[in-house]
Amino acid sequence: MASVAQHQIQKFHKDGFLVLEQFFSAEECDSMRSQIQRIVAEMEVPPHCRTAFSTREEEQLQAQGSSDYFLTSGDKIRFFFEKGVLDEKGNFLVPKEKSVSKIGHALHAYDPVFKQITHSPKVQELGRKLGLEKPVVVQSMYIFKQPGIGGEVTPHQDATFLHTEPLGRILGFWIALEDATQENGCLWFIPGSHTNGISRRMVRAASGASTCVEFVGSEPAYDDKQFIPLPISKGGLILIHGEVVHKSELNSSESSRHAFTFHVMEAKGTTWSKENWLQPTPELPFPLLYT
């Protein structure tokens, strides 16, 4: 991997994202893919995904089960499924490995392969080049973007979900474990859109509410013409500013688009919102990126 130059860092500050091709080796990508295969092979379908939809009340319980499963996933390795892959009894309608949408949100803490990648010397060096003094890892996710059914991700800013005061303290690392193309759902960005703050926040709902989280504010209507696609080869890294607007389209191709992504917060002089869905726990305080 070539060292990151100062002009690239400047480009990141200007655009709100930076593409670094061949940041990770093919071997590193393959080690993550084979590790996730092992994890999926041992996966149990969570109980809330198995209950049959019948009465309204059971449906609400199911939704509550899903929300609890999501809300308490910050310090665990948990499974989230594509729509329509399970029947009403919770049995797979497609091969198990093709059913998972993502796995989160603490692979970086509990899995040796993903931990090693997250804290790899080149990631730490990049953090230092970006001037991060006390970066902590807040979450990680393995995203499958399954062929034919990998859903679109509508335009959003990561800080909507991971709010800090002040803003500008969240940074995403997005690693392509397979080539990401326009056909299989690569990321699209609006360059320079990280300078206008955020218009929407996802917050924990009051206890007893029917949903576990709610949105405050609304996502503006973005002009499709403003987005530019960022296809990237296997092993490439995209740095994502917490407030840059980005999206990905439905994967209508025959090939998956696996990615491993994690978010870092500059903890120095920063407050993590108590209203964020994700909260550090006694079992897992946010680990420091630098080892």
Side-chain angles (χ1 to χ4, degrees):
M1 165 213 124
S3 185
V4 180
Q6 204 47 47
H7 73 88
Q8 290 174 295
I9 304 271
Q10 285 165 339
K11 189 166 170 46
F12 170 72
H13 290 303
K14 176 174 161 280
D15 292 338
F17 58 85
L18 180 64
V19 176
L20 298 169
E21 287 281 8
Q22 296 176 334
F23 193 86
F24 289 95
S25 68
E27 294 73 38
E28 287 169 314
C29 293
D30 294 343
S31 73
M32 287 186 265
R33 291 202 58 188
S34 48
Q35 185 68 350
I36 221 73
Q37 277 176 332
R38 284 194 284 275
I39 290 172
V40 169
E42 293 167 15
M43 159 182 91
E44 290 292 323
V45 179
H48 72 84
C49 294
R50 287 184 177 278
T51 53
F53 287 116
S54 42
T55 66
R56 179 75 209 237
E57 198 172 304
E58 280 171 19
E59 217 170 297
Q60 284 173 334
L61 284 172
Q62 164 133 8
Q64 190 54 50
S66 305
S67 64
D68 289 344
Y69 186 78
F70 168 72
L71 271 190
T72 55
S73 66
D75 61 352
K76 299 178 190 70
I77 295 175
R78 288 197 161 165
F79 304 93
F80 302 90
F81 298 92
E82 290 289 357
K83 289 187 181 72
V85 298
L86 296 164
D87 67 15
E88 66 279 2
K89 295 191 186 70
N91 299 317
F92 290 108
L93 297 167
V94 299
K96 184 156 116 161
E97 64 281 358
K98 294 258 191 288
S99 67
V100 190
S101 155
K102 61 184 190 182
I103 297 178
H105 286 89
L107 286 161
H108 63 280
Y110 295 128
D111 182 273
V113 173
F114 292 99
K115 186 175 193 171
Q116 191 178 1
I117 292 287
T118 303
H119 296 277
S120 55
K122 48 197 167 190
V123 168
Q124 297 193 39
E125 185 199 352
L126 181 52
R128 294 199 162 91
K129 287 231 163 109
L130 288 160
L132 301 175
E133 292 183 58
K134 196 185 163 190
V136 295
V137 186
V138 298
Q139 70 156 0
S140 56
M141 271 189 298
Y142 191 103
I143 302 169
F144 292 80
K145 202 78 166 177
Q146 301 283 7
I149 56 169
E152 68 166 331
V153 178
T154 54
H156 68 283
Q157 299 165 293
D158 292 343
T160 284
F161 307 96
L162 309 171
H163 191 264
T164 60
E165 290 182 10
L167 284 171
R169 301 301 173 88
I170 291 289
L171 179 63
F173 289 72
W174 192 96
I175 305 157
L177 303 185
E178 302 179 279
D179 293 351
T181 64
Q182 285 198 44
E183 292 68 47
N184 74 2
C186 71
L187 299 181
W188 295 66
F189 287 80
I190 301 181
S193 57
H194 60 303
T195 55
N196 306 325
I198 59 169
S199 58
R200 186 173 70 130
R201 284 183 59 189
M202 184 172 96
V203 298
R204 282 181 173 241
S207 60
S210 58
T211 55
C212 62
V213 292
E214 56 197 11
F215 285 97
V216 179
S218 59
E219 205 64 64
Y222 297 108
D223 177 0
D224 274 348
K225 291 193 281 295
Q226 289 183 289
F227 285 92
I228 62 162
L230 291 192
I232 188 166
S233 305
K234 174 178 174 174
L237 169 70
I238 302 178
L239 274 183
I240 304 174
H241 186 286
E243 282 112 80
V244 74
V245 178
H246 58 291
K247 66 174 184 177
S248 68
E249 304 289 344
L250 173 80
N251 180 3
S252 50
S253 80
E254 307 277 293
S255 56
S256 56
R257 190 224 67 188
H258 289 203
F260 175 58
T261 167
F262 59 91
H263 283 90
V264 162
M265 169 179 73
E266 169 61 273
K268 189 179 179 195
T270 309
T271 310
W272 178 258
S273 172
K274 288 267 182 277
E275 294 181 312
N276 285 338
W277 75 266
L278 175 79
Q279 294 295 328
T281 63
E283 294 75 35
L284 183 64
F286 294 149
L288 193 60
L289 180 68
Y290 302 149
T291 51

